[in-house]
Amino acid sequence: MPALGVVQARDKLKPQHEPHWLKLSNGCYLGFRKMTPTSTGTWLARFRDDKGKQQKRSFGEYAEMPPSQRYDTAKRAAEQWFAHLGKGGTAESVTVRTACERYVKHVRSTRGDKPADDLDMRFKRWVFCNKNLAALDLEKLNKTRIETWRNEMAKTPVVVNRDKRDTPITRPRSAASVNRDIAALRAALNFAHDAGSVTTDMAWRVALRPSKNADGRRDVFLDRDQRRSLIKHAAQDVAIFLRGLSSVPLRPGALAALTVEKFDLRLSVLTIGKDKAGRDRKIKLPEATASEFADLCRDRLALSPIFCRADSKAWNKDSWKGPIKEAAAAADLSSNVTAYTIRHSVITDLVTGGLDLLTVAQLSGTSVAMIERHYGHLRADHAAAALARLTL
């Protein structure tokens, strides 16, 4: 039986195609293959189940590690794989690309096309183009490889616009943007781990942790008068869109996606079916807001957008961005005003108006934790007032 744990003994092994096998337990073997006298050597594992079916798995050379540590590393990997198979896990070799594609398919069947298309776009942009990572077997992933990918991705500038000479204008990627992209890969790898395609999540558990406080606080706030002024100085179609954003605390994309059939005139209930939350939710509208929605829906087809541009097309982030900037400039407001500024301002008004955070979260389509993180500090005055009422 070969002494695979001793470097000098491994160096003296005869080069051959068939691995030198070391029995670890019944049906479980660790192998080492040298094809030439000077080669580093490849580590393998062999497993035979109760029915006599034999399966093999290659773990690579571990060339990045000192020779004295390779045996222990290979042995741990083999034992994890044996335990994985013993619990009913698959012996199939799955690459990072395959794991991502399977996750996109899963999301498409459970949550719909929009989130699946978003994931697919992120994977094509950041994962599939990195052939070294995309083609890598999940079992060969390690923390160093994941961290290298993350650092390279984070350093890639974003093209903001192009000047008149068609020269790209770029800016550094924000931490929030990096968090969104690593979240996609983390979710795909976790899905593969849960499905039994990989024995451990150690490679990405730490390396793909999101940066803390990446989103920061929303600093641009427009009070009611400023929102009225913004609407007043906007073109008619974008003014209607801004009025909608000022009436309900929706994400701009969710408001733009609303169709006539999503508004129940009889009950004054609006169904939000396209949002980051990924599932429908219903909002009971007050009388005045319901009346405005009813006017917008009158004599319109069920699948027509409630809020549309002058050419009857639905709004999107590329079409509302410019007109809102122009309206903000005309109203002498901050150049940092965006469609999302309106959502932030409306949520701020709800929080400072005394509405409980759970209801605010439900209306906004986000978590209480997120509302607490970004808006909880606004409750300080309400807490002080409540304490003042306790005075004897």
Side-chain angles (χ1 to χ4, degrees), residues 258-264 296-297 300-306:
L258 290 175
T259 55
V260 172
E261 66 178 356
K262 297 297 183 180
F263 177 60
D264 188 326
L296 293 173
C297 293
R300 305 277 298 282
L301 296 176
L303 296 180
S304 299
I306 296 178

Side-chain angles (χ1 to χ4, degrees), residues 120 184 279 301 352 362 388:
D120 190 47
R279 56 184 180 274
L301 296 176
T352 57
Q362 291 172 338

Side-chain angles (χ1 to χ4, degrees), residues 45 103 116 128 142 157 206 240 252 285 297 345 351 375:
Y103 184 60
F128 298 165
N142 57 47
V206 175
I240 294 173
L285 299 181
C297 293
S345 301
V351 172
Y375 302 94

Side-chain angles (χ1 to χ4, degrees), residues 2-13 22 32 34 43 67-72:
L4 301 184
V6 181
V7 176
Q8 292 80 359
R10 291 202 302 268
D11 291 340
K12 295 178 181 178
L13 290 176
L22 173 65
F32 181 73
K34 285 186 64 174
W43 295 92
S68 60
Q69 297 179 14
R70 293 171 189 169
Y71 169 78
D72 290 335

Side-chain angles (χ1 to χ4, degrees), residues 54-75:
Q54 184 169 278
Q55 299 168 343
K56 293 181 180 179
R57 169 64 62 91
S58 173
F59 298 114
E61 297 179 342
Y62 295 118
E64 72 279 4
M65 306 185 68
S68 60
Q69 297 179 14
R70 293 171 189 169
Y71 169 78
D72 290 335
T73 303
K75 183 172 180 290

Side-chain angles (χ1 to χ4, degrees), residues 233-275:
H233 288 86
Q236 183 178 5
D237 56 351
V238 76
I240 294 173
F241 184 64
L242 290 170
R243 185 178 292 277
L245 287 173
S246 299
S247 301
V248 283
L250 302 184
R251 295 178 179 84
L255 187 77
L258 290 175
T259 55
V260 172
E261 66 178 356
K262 297 297 183 180
F263 177 60
D264 188 326
L265 176 61
R266 182 174 60 88
L267 299 177
S268 297
V269 171
L270 188 65
T271 299
I272 316 302
K274 185 179 182 182
D275 205 354

